[in-house]
Amino acid sequence: MYDFTGLIQGINKWLHSILPAVAADVVGWILIAAAFLGLFAILGLVLVLAERKIAAFFQLRLGPNRIGPWGIFQTVADAIKLLLKEPVGTNRADSFLYNLAPYFVIIAALMSMSVLPFAKGLHAYDIDIGVFFVIAMSSLGVMGILLGGWASNNKYALLGAMRSGAQMISYELSVGLSILTIVLLSGSLRMSDIVASQSDYWFIFKGHIPAWIAFMIFIIAGTAETNRTPFDLTEAESELGAGFHTEYSGLKFAFFFLSEFVNMFIIAAMGAILFFGGWMPLHIGGWDGFNHVMDFIPPIFWFFGKVSFLIFLIMWFRWTFPRLRIDQLLTLEWKYLLPMNLANILLMAFIVLMGWHL
Amino acid sequence: MSYFGDIGKGIKTLLSGMKVTGKYFLNARKEIITQQYPENRDTLEMFERFRGEVVMPHDENNEHRCTGCQACEIACPNGSIEIVWDRKVDEETGKKKKYIVNHIYHLSMCTMCNLCIVACPTDAIKMAKKFENAVFDRTALTKVLNKPGSKLMDGVEE
């Protein structure tokens, strides 16, 4: 039920029937790229609006409410404004690297989005090292931030970029190790296998306490990976102006801004896939009637529901916790999260070895 | 063993912080503090101690309480108040007495510091709650506070 495989194959067959083989493939790729770019833009608009509305409710305000009903077109208006804005740059910036940096960030975000399974059969690139690919791509994103900070020829931008480098290199470890804890359970790095092996219990229930610890570490380190408050030292408005994107304006600033939100979506989607079963409905092993009822809700709703819950959690962090100092940030990672993570992996390996998981 | 204690304490404090903000989020609908300004213009009431501009209240007989003592003009740090005054013979006592011709107030120079109100011995002027003071011509910001034809209220000087 609700399987997209037939639809996708149907489109593929239809393209092959009306076009020569090479042209059909190229058109297929273009269609996929257009779909991802569209999703990228929609995600940016929706998430920025959601962030502003949720922020407003946390602070007992109304939030944007002038453009459209309940202000739903606010971000569209903002996007148009950013598109029409004059790009202002610094005089002595390294113009090649300065212009390249936003593309690094946005391409890294798009590439890691390409391996996510959105529903059964709705999966652009089911690579057998999918999880590893996402980790690799998300660490490529920091290149853009470092380049942007360096090439801007501005001390605040450079400071922000350097902080970002230190932060990313540290927290990459925690994200990787907490993902590894779950990979121990699934025994595969392929996204579709990970989702399929959660068809009886989600991994967060399957792995008992180690899975919960891994989830906690993942969501903390993931917040740090996306440079969001309380880990937004790279931007740190009160200290650095705007950090690495101080010198960017107009569309290039919009790219940085958009990719921050899309990165948040990717982290939330990875959390949903690894811990909450991705598009897999809530299944409990042996309860066939219950599982059957749950199957009526389409997988794409399950996926986006879980993702929006995790995004809400990350936004909740943002409007609760104050920003960490750089030494506190590194202490948290190297003294607390990393040792906990290593011990947690051992515990999980032992549980998997003894077959104690559900 | 304070290492593990710190972890536990950290998690506890993080959760209690999230509980507080979560409560605010859930009750946001009930206690939103934003005022939707142009829409609520008719019902909008500024708070009690708001200082918008200096006014001189007049009663129903077009009488004010200003004796023309110029205490407010002296108290004003930036010269927002100018008092044009004259003397005339009082009919009862036959003495010459000071009265105000124009109490001129420059809103454009006023910082709403309230010193003139404090200085006034007869409570003739007070701060109003009006805040929509923008005009297209700055001469409109120079105001004469006493109304034309007004005179001093009886019994103020005793």
Side-chain angles (χ1 to χ4, degrees):
Chain A
M1 202 156 41
Y2 306 121
D3 194 344
F4 283 92
T5 322
L7 178 72
I8 303 289
Q9 275 172 357
I11 293 173
N12 196 27
K13 261 190 200 132
W14 176 70
L15 279 176
H16 275 277
S17 67
I18 58 166
L19 289 169
V22 179
D25 281 344
V26 170
V27 169
W29 297 337
I30 289 170
L31 281 180
I32 292 168
F36 271 97
L37 282 175
L39 181 67
F40 199 89
I42 290 168
L43 273 180
L45 294 179
V46 170
L47 285 179
V48 173
L49 182 72
E51 165 97 53
R52 291 185 61 180
K53 272 288 185 194
I54 287 173
F57 290 145
F58 272 120
Q59 298 172 343
L60 302 183
R61 294 184 285 113
L62 283 168
N65 64 345
R66 295 284 148 163
I67 303 170
W70 307 288
I72 54 170
F73 297 124
Q74 177 68 46
T75 45
V76 179
D78 286 350
I80 293 169
K81 185 211 88 175
L82 281 172
L83 283 174
L84 297 178
K85 234 175 137 174
E86 180 194 359
V88 184
T90 42
N91 210 3
R92 297 200 188 152
D94 184 334
S95 65
F96 176 67
L97 293 183
Y98 176 82
N99 291 323
L100 185 68
Y103 298 99
F104 254 98
V105 176
I106 211 157
I107 286 171
L110 262 175
M111 295 264 274
S112 37
M113 211 158 73
S114 68
V115 294
L116 300 177
F118 292 98
K120 192 170 181 141
L122 205 62
H123 195 161
Y125 189 28
D126 195 9
I127 184 174
D128 55 358
I129 49 163
V131 174
F132 182 67
F133 185 80
V134 170
I135 298 174
M137 280 305 143
S138 68
S139 39
L140 196 67
V142 71
M143 277 294 289
I145 293 176
L146 276 172
L147 279 184
W150 172 257
S152 296
N153 197 10
N154 174 322
K155 57 179 178 261
Y156 296 120
L158 183 60
L159 273 173
M162 287 297 142
R163 283 180 180 188
S164 166
Q167 181 180 329
M168 288 283 200
I169 290 165
S170 310
Y171 279 85
E172 203 88 280
L173 275 172
S174 276
V175 171
L177 286 176
S178 54
I179 287 176
L180 216 60
T181 318
I182 293 306
V183 169
L184 277 177
L185 268 179
S186 75
S188 168
L189 287 167
R190 187 191 285 268
M191 291 280 190
S192 54
D193 286 353
I194 290 177
V195 173
S197 58
Q198 301 183 63
S199 59
D200 46 354
Y201 296 97
W202 295 348
F203 278 151
I204 197 144
F205 303 124
K206 219 177 208 180
H208 307 300
I209 293 165
W212 282 98
I213 295 174
F215 174 66
M216 225 170 63
I217 293 170
F218 177 83
I219 203 87
I220 292 172
T223 316
E225 276 277 291
T226 50
N227 289 327
R228 286 179 60 81
T229 330
F231 302 100
D232 65 339
L233 291 150
T234 49
E235 285 166 46
E237 301 94 332
S238 49
E239 302 152 27
L240 298 179
F244 65 94
H245 60 60
T246 307
E247 298 293 353
Y248 285 92
S249 67
L251 198 58
K252 283 178 209 146
F253 165 74
F255 281 174
F256 278 121
F257 192 61
L258 209 68
S259 64
E260 184 194 322
F261 279 91
V262 174
N263 278 331
M264 180 170 70
F265 172 80
I266 290 165
I267 283 291
M270 284 299 287
I273 291 164
L274 289 166
F275 297 94
F276 296 97
W279 49 261
M280 192 61 78
L282 177 59
H283 282 175
I284 295 173
W287 294 19
D288 287 331
F290 178 77
N291 294 349
H292 196 66
V293 171
M294 283 297 166
D295 280 339
F296 277 107
I297 304 173
I300 197 143
F301 287 157
W302 279 103
F303 180 77
F304 280 101
K306 288 165 190 172
V307 169
S308 22
F309 170 72
L310 289 181
I311 285 175
F312 174 72
L313 199 64
I314 292 174
M315 286 179 179
W316 193 353
F317 290 161
R318 174 166 184 176
W319 299 107
T320 305
F321 304 133
R323 183 186 302 137
L324 275 76
R325 219 165 48 213
I326 185 80
D327 62 319
Q328 293 168 333
L329 180 92
L330 295 178
T331 306
L332 174 68
E333 164 63 21
W334 294 101
K335 281 193 181 164
Y336 292 94
L337 294 188
L338 192 65
M340 267 164 77
N341 225 333
L342 290 171
N344 194 34
I345 284 199
L346 268 182
L347 188 62
M348 182 59 105
F350 188 68
I351 284 179
V352 172
L353 183 72
M354 304 301 280
W356 286 345
H357 57 85
L358 290 172
Chain B
M1 287 316 267
S2 74
Y3 178 81
F4 293 104
D6 283 349
I7 293 175
K9 213 175 127 195
I11 294 170
K12 212 184 113 196
T13 48
L14 288 181
L15 287 181
S16 64
M18 285 179 71
K19 205 175 107 188
V20 171
T21 46
K23 254 182 208 159
Y24 273 109
F25 181 79
L26 289 179
N27 296 324
R29 275 275 154 234
K30 275 176 255 164
E31 41 188 323
I32 279 189
I33 52 176
T34 312
Q35 303 232 359
Q36 304 218 48
Y37 164 56
E39 286 88 355
N40 71 350
R41 210 169 180 172
D42 301 329
T43 56
L44 182 65
E45 179 74 20
M46 290 310 281
F47 44 96
E48 204 180 312
R49 285 159 61 182
F50 184 80
R51 300 178 195 157
E53 63 167 342
V54 176
V55 291
M56 185 182 287
H58 288 64
D59 67 1
E60 62 277 8
N61 305 323
N62 203 13
E63 289 174 342
H64 57 75
R65 296 175 63 88
C66 181
T67 59
C69 72
Q70 291 178 288
C72 51
E73 187 175 356
I74 295 162
C76 184
N78 39 9
S80 312
I81 295 176
E82 272 176 67
I83 295 176
V84 182
W85 54 273
D86 202 354
R87 292 182 199 277
K88 68 177 175 192
V89 178
D90 190 12
E91 282 127 28
E92 285 174 34
T93 55
K95 286 178 184 171
K96 273 194 163 180
K97 228 179 93 180
K98 208 172 171 183
Y99 74 99
I100 54 167
V101 179
N102 280 326
H103 187 294
I104 300 167
Y105 167 57
H106 300 276
L107 180 56
S108 54
M109 289 196 278
C110 183
T111 59
M112 317 294 166
C113 68
N114 211 34
L115 286 177
C116 52
I117 313 303
V118 174
C120 185
T122 56
D123 293 334
I125 46 176
K126 64 169 196 171
M127 279 287 178
K129 291 181 188 171
K130 188 187 160 216
F131 61 94
E132 291 166 317
N133 287 326
V135 286
F136 286 101
D137 182 3
R138 70 188 171 129
T139 55
L141 293 173
T142 301
K143 298 178 180 184
V144 177
L145 295 188
N146 55 327
K147 287 180 189 165
S150 63
K151 63 180 178 47
L152 182 63
M153 210 180 280
D154 280 338
V156 172
E157 280 169 310
E158 266 95 67

